[in-house]
């Protein structure tokens, strides 16, 4: 999916065993103050995990 008039996109891919990969891109983003940032200005976010009921 692409937002009209922008390069902002969201891509969803389905894989076997009911797995999904979701990617999002936007030219700019805002993070809450205090978010740790890496050397290249990228946020250092904790790893994300699906709820236990969705994991196999």
């Amino acid at each position: 999916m692409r937002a009209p008039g922008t390069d902002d996109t969201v891509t969803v891919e389905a894989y076997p065993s009911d797995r999904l990969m979701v990617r999002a891109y936007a030219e700019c983003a805002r993070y809450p103050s205090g978010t740790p940032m890496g050397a290249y200005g990228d946020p250092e976010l904790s790893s994300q995990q699906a709820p236990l009921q969705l994991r196999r």
Side-chain angles (χ1 to χ4, degrees), residues 29-48:
R30 290 182 279 185
Y31 300 97
S33 62
T35 300
M37 302 297 245
Y40 295 104
D42 297 322
E44 295 178 349
L45 304 173
S46 59
S47 62
Q48 298 177 9

Side-chain angles (χ1 to χ4, degrees), residues 2-55:
R2 183 178 301 248
T6 72
D7 288 331
D8 300 350
T9 58
V10 174
T11 305
V12 179
E13 295 181 51
Y15 290 95
S17 300
D18 298 327
R19 294 185 174 269
L20 293 175
M21 178 185 295
V22 179
R23 294 185 200 135
Y25 170 83
E27 188 65 32
C28 66
R30 290 182 279 185
Y31 300 97
S33 62
T35 300
M37 302 297 245
Y40 295 104
D42 297 322
E44 295 178 349
L45 304 173
S46 59
S47 62
Q48 298 177 9
Q49 196 169 51
L52 181 61
Q53 297 88 334
L54 298 177
R55 289 185 261 147

